[in-house]
Amino acid sequence: MSHLEQGLIRPDTGNKSWLSQFGSWLIDLVFPPVCSCGRVDYHFCAGCLKELLRFPLESRTVSVEALNSLASTGIYDGILEQAIRAFKYDGVTGLDKHLAERLQRVYEQTQWPIDLIIPVPLAEKRLDERGYNQSEMLGACMSKVCGIPCRSDFMRRIRETDQQARLNGEQRMANVRNAFEASDAVKGLAILLIDDVVTTGSTLNECARALKREGARAVYGLTVGHA
């Protein structure tokens, strides 16, 4: 049975601790999941997936300080927002290929000369809670279809940060300042940073700074959605 036929109702909890899995099961038992369209017992239903697949691509390219260029596939709203949230927070990891396909199409339009893909690292606390890094999954899918290596171990967070979604623009910049460290293996390479959503660009900008400190030739950013 395909993901479309299943309605993507089963979140992936394989990488979570048994305690987190039990907590998720208990919450779903007491408060059954509801798809954004209102269908009960679905995290992301087949009808919404069909809508996502028809959602138009909007190739938006801008400049953000340390980044050579930044592109997104569409505005973080409507079905695209619903899909990203289901993928990121509800464990609907079956959406990775569909969202990465949008990334691939925009990347092909940019014609950026990329040597290496690096997903934005997730804070250890949130990685433990979630059980996976959504940006790493997107980067892995991109690597397969584009034939470009993806290395999640070439950059890491060196301190915990607050969730960016809770902060304003100025606070976001301060929150992630000097929060990342890159490997010197990026020297001379053109890097493609992958993330799910960009709002102010603070996180991607700090990642680019860390990469360029280690000699990266160029750093580009690509996200599924933009606020």
Side-chain angles (χ1 to χ4, degrees):
M1 184 179 291
S2 71
H3 281 309
L4 189 61
E5 292 166 332
Q6 292 177 27
L8 295 171
I9 62 173
R10 292 288 177 259
D12 181 6
T13 58
N15 293 323
K16 287 188 176 182
S17 67
W18 69 269
L19 187 60
S20 294
Q21 290 186 50
F22 177 75
S24 298
W25 173 82
L26 191 60
I27 290 171
D28 281 357
L29 181 65
V30 179
F31 304 103
V34 180
C35 181
S36 57
C37 69
R39 295 190 66 181
V40 179
D41 288 331
Y42 288 78
H43 285 86
F44 197 82
C45 73
C48 286
L49 178 56
K50 289 180 181 178
E51 185 179 349
L52 173 66
L53 297 179
R54 293 194 299 264
F55 192 72
L57 195 72
E58 176 212 316
S59 181
R60 176 179 184 260
T61 304
V62 298
S63 297
V64 180
E65 295 186 40
L67 289 165
N68 290 72
S69 192
L70 169 64
S72 298
T73 80
I75 191 169
Y76 183 63
D77 193 20
I79 193 62
L80 189 59
E81 177 184 0
Q82 294 160 20
I84 293 171
R85 291 185 64 84
F87 175 53
K88 186 174 183 177
Y89 299 118
D90 297 332
V92 189
T93 54
L95 287 168
D96 60 345
K97 295 178 179 62
H98 302 297
L99 297 176
E101 192 266 341
R102 294 179 61 86
L103 293 174
Q104 176 198 0
R105 288 162 61 195
V106 170
Y107 166 68
E108 289 173 349
Q109 291 177 17
T110 66
Q111 298 186 332
W112 292 334
I114 302 301
D115 300 309
L116 184 69
I117 294 171
I118 295 182
V120 171
L122 192 64
E124 287 296 329
K125 181 180 178 181
R126 285 191 283 282
L127 182 59
D128 290 341
E129 292 172 350
R130 197 171 298 163
Y132 60 95
N133 178 352
Q134 71 282 354
S135 299
E136 188 172 339
M137 294 186 69
L138 292 173
C141 288
M142 281 284 290
S143 177
K144 288 180 181 178
V145 296
C146 298
I148 301 172
C150 178
R151 296 296 297 262
S152 59
D153 57 335
F154 277 13
M155 190 165 58
R156 65 187 182 98
R157 287 183 186 253
I158 54 178
R159 64 176 177 81
E160 290 290 329
T161 57
D162 294 330
Q163 285 191 330
Q164 292 285 80
R166 300 173 179 173
L167 308 175
N168 62 35
E170 189 173 326
Q171 291 171 331
R172 286 171 184 253
M173 292 176 63
N175 185 45
V176 295
R177 189 170 292 126
N178 298 320
F180 300 95
E181 182 179 76
S183 165
D184 59 8
V186 303
K187 185 176 182 180
L189 300 180
I191 307 297
L192 178 63
L193 286 170
I194 296 291
D195 208 358
D196 53 351
V197 180
V198 59
T199 303
T200 63
S202 300
T203 299
L204 288 167
N205 192 56
E206 282 301 315
C207 288
R209 288 183 187 277
L211 290 163
K212 288 189 173 180
R213 280 197 296 268
E214 296 301 328
R217 184 177 82 252
V219 181
Y220 302 88
L222 182 58
T223 71
V224 180
H226 69 82

